[in-house]
Amino acid sequence: MKRFLLFLLITVQLHAHGQGKYGAFHGKRVLFIGIDGCRADALLAAMERGLAPQMKMLSESDDGLLTRKFYAGGEMGKPTHQPTVSGPGWTSLLTGVWMDKHGVKDNGFIGGRYQTFAHFMFRIKEVKPDAWCASFADWPPIHTKIADLSRLNDKEFLDEKFTATPDASRHYIDNPEKDIEVRDEALKSLRSCNADAMFVYFGQVDEFGHGATDSRASFSPDSTLYVNAISHVDSHVGELLRAMRARKKFAEEDWLVLITTDHGGRGNGHGGDSDEERKIWLIAHGKDLPRERLLNEPTPQTAIVPMIYKHLGVTPKAEWNPEPQKP
Ligand SMILES: [Zn+2]
């Protein structure tokens, strides 16, 4: 009887907590952190001033890197050219294609072709139904649009999903609080679940850039409030990394960590083609990164999804219509 109960308990645990020691991808896992509207020179300024020590340490550690050759906004003058705003930007980061394919031109999401160009976690579940995918965000369209519109027959594919909604009527003053809620839910998952792929989105940096949270702030390395928001999110990143490394099976796991943004900004806005908006950054940490290429060659933000597939050993199907990749 006891043995039966133990068996039952273990079965329930596995169900509640996703895959075990060797997950659907033999311990290969992905932690993808998105920081909305984080301008590259402001991140570097935060690092230089000792205000973003967690991301600095990760990028300077063995197997880590920071590249500024990463770009948003598609190819100038080509059909892929897209505005540097969140709707098209996060769609490119989460589906691996530009606007000429995904069809999202603004934050209205009208015309989005997610049934053809789906969220990468939908694709992961398509090839490995027993994979565990988790997403945490406080910009609701990340889930209500990009994820939900990728569903087949409206069937949920995310095993864990947490959406916090900042209060626009309070001028987003609670955005930093919502980031804390997102962080805490993601920490819970890292401690008690075994996600093969995790996406964690923080929104406050963009809100500070817009002056929504404090009218004195702007998208600039000279804006103390903006740089402080980056610093605040850096501390969340640090907590996520500590929880990842503290996992019981961490030594046997192989994590790819990716941290990036959807766009930069100028003054209190973004959407245009300036370097401050288009030229973004990527922090990556992992054993199998294409280091030289990422550090030396311009790399589009559509390259995140193929990097995730490569790490997990997922071969994209032709009908997913992925962007052609450099070998
Ligand atoms: Zn914005």
Side-chain angles (χ1 to χ4, degrees):
M1 189 66 186
K2 245 189 197 162
R3 194 168 281 178
F4 174 72
L5 276 177
L6 192 66
F7 170 76
L8 202 69
L9 197 70
I10 289 168
T11 312
V12 169
Q13 288 267 323
L14 278 177
H15 269 281
H17 295 154
Q19 292 293 308
K21 174 175 148 189
Y22 296 108
F25 304 100
H26 307 284
K28 286 187 184 289
R29 303 186 194 278
V30 175
L31 173 60
F32 177 10
I33 301 173
I35 305 175
D36 202 299
C38 184
R39 185 166 138 171
D41 56 357
L43 174 65
L44 292 186
M47 287 180 170
E48 274 162 28
R49 295 171 204 165
L51 294 168
Q54 305 298 335
M55 286 191 270
K56 188 172 197 295
M57 256 194 297
L58 185 74
S59 59
E60 291 175 355
S61 64
D62 290 346
D63 299 326
L65 64 85
L66 184 157
T67 182
R68 282 203 60 185
K69 299 268 180 186
F70 215 51
Y71 64 93
E75 316 293 340
M76 299 272 273
K78 301 250 173 75
T80 58
H81 188 198
Q82 67 186 33
T84 50
V85 296
S86 290
W90 288 113
T91 300
S92 290
L93 286 161
L94 294 168
T95 65
V97 297
W98 295 119
M99 190 176 81
D100 59 320
K101 289 182 177 168
H102 64 56
V104 178
K105 53 187 186 311
D106 53 31
N107 292 347
F109 288 90
I110 292 161
R113 294 190 284 267
Y114 294 103
Q115 290 291 304
T116 311
F117 303 98
H119 191 296
F120 76 93
M121 289 182 178
F122 175 85
R123 295 307 187 193
I124 286 176
K125 300 285 288 193
E126 186 183 333
V127 294
K128 288 267 186 194
D130 59 347
W132 188 264
C133 293
S135 183
F136 310 85
D138 55 9
W139 191 50
I142 294 286
H143 293 148
T144 59
K145 302 292 181 188
I146 303 174
D148 292 355
L149 296 175
S150 295
R151 291 171 176 181
L152 184 63
N153 301 323
D154 209 29
K155 188 174 170 280
E156 182 60 85
F157 60 89
L158 294 171
D159 301 285
E160 284 177 88
K161 181 165 78 172
F162 174 77
T163 317
T165 307
D167 188 347
S169 71
R170 293 175 63 217
H171 302 285
Y172 301 99
I173 202 159
D174 58 340
N175 216 296
E177 289 168 30
K178 292 294 180 286
D179 278 359
I180 288 170
E181 289 176 27
V182 163
R183 177 201 68 191
D184 287 350
E185 289 300 315
L187 285 174
K188 254 191 252 170
S189 174
L190 278 166
R191 286 169 186 149
S192 61
C193 298
N194 295 304
D196 296 296
M198 264 182 93
F199 177 59
V200 188
Y201 167 101
F202 296 112
Q204 70 180 287
V205 173
D206 186 68
E207 294 301 341
F208 270 91
H210 286 295
T213 311
D214 190 309
S215 61
R216 295 165 297 171
S218 64
F219 290 95
S220 165
D222 302 323
S223 169
T224 305
L225 288 158
Y226 182 67
V227 174
N228 278 347
I230 296 172
S231 184
H232 197 177
V233 170
D234 182 73
S235 73
H236 297 341
V237 170
E239 292 215 39
L240 294 175
L241 295 174
R242 268 192 295 281
M244 178 188 79
R245 294 185 189 117
R247 287 170 55 78
K248 270 201 207 90
K249 305 287 184 188
F250 180 70
E252 297 156 56
E253 294 175 335
D254 178 5
W255 284 85
L256 170 66
V257 181
L258 300 165
I259 313 174
T260 190
T261 187
D262 53 340
H263 55 72
R266 294 178 89 176
N268 285 121
H270 55 82
D273 298 324
S274 68
D275 282 355
E276 292 88 345
E277 292 157 296
R278 283 177 56 89
K279 291 193 175 169
I280 53 172
W281 52 274
L282 168 71
I283 291 173
H285 187 275
K287 291 187 186 78
D288 47 12
L289 290 171
R291 289 188 72 84
E292 291 310 309
R293 179 148 61 83
L294 288 174
L295 288 171
N296 300 310
E297 290 176 37
T299 303
Q301 66 187 165
T302 49
I304 290 277
V305 169
M307 282 171 70
I308 292 172
Y309 289 158
K310 187 164 178 273
H311 179 69
L312 295 178
V314 170
T315 308
K317 294 182 184 173
E319 62 263 34
W320 297 358
N321 300 293
E323 297 286 359
Q325 293 298 310
K326 286 182 189 173

